[in-house]
Amino acid sequence: MIGTWHGLIIDCPDPAALASFYQELLGMVRVQDDGDWVVIGDAPDRPGVAFQQIPDFTAPTWPGGAHPQQMHFDVRVPDLDAGEAAALGLGASRLDGGGETYRVFADPVGHPFCLVTI
């Protein structure tokens, strides 16, 4: 092993707003907030998800195109219909794709993520 995972950093135009979306989606807490850099996680001493402000942010396109996705979250839910309703209520939007065990969405700034039951 070379090291241990410290965090995942997501570019966005408004770190506080996108962190709030993922806090609700993933059940995490805010562990750092420096305005242009916000981190959420289980606890301050554990790996987290950070959101950094990028003034000229360009949202990924789905499923391909000029700015294809680079990564996405898979979020396990017990019920896809209930999970979809909750995600849409937080500001997500449904994207093309999916199947019996997963559905594809975009967060409020366009990053794709999936709700899965597998």
Side-chain angles (χ1 to χ4, degrees):
M1 173 176 74
I2 294 172
T4 58
W5 179 56
H6 178 71
L8 172 71
I9 292 76
I10 299 176
D11 294 346
C12 61
D14 183 347
L18 196 58
S20 293
F21 172 83
Y22 279 103
Q23 277 180 248
E24 293 297 318
L25 185 71
L26 301 173
M28 293 182 166
V29 296
R30 195 165 297 210
V31 297
Q32 183 179 350
D33 190 338
D34 295 329
D36 60 353
W37 176 266
V38 178
V39 182
I40 63 171
D42 294 333
D45 62 341
R46 295 183 35 92
V49 181
F51 304 87
Q52 70 179 352
Q53 186 172 28
I54 303 296
D56 57 351
F57 173 77
T58 300
T61 52
W62 178 264
H67 303 282
Q69 70 164 341
Q70 301 289 310
M71 65 90 197
H72 71 269
F73 282 104
D74 276 356
V75 180
R76 184 178 290 196
V77 295
D79 179 277
L80 281 175
D81 291 333
E84 177 172 346
L88 294 174
L90 292 174
S93 56
R94 182 79 189 267
L95 296 176
D96 292 337
E100 286 186 34
T101 59
Y102 72 100
R103 295 183 187 159
V104 184
F105 299 86
D107 69 23
V109 300
H111 297 288
F113 69 92
C114 293
L115 297 182
V116 301
T117 59
I118 50 177

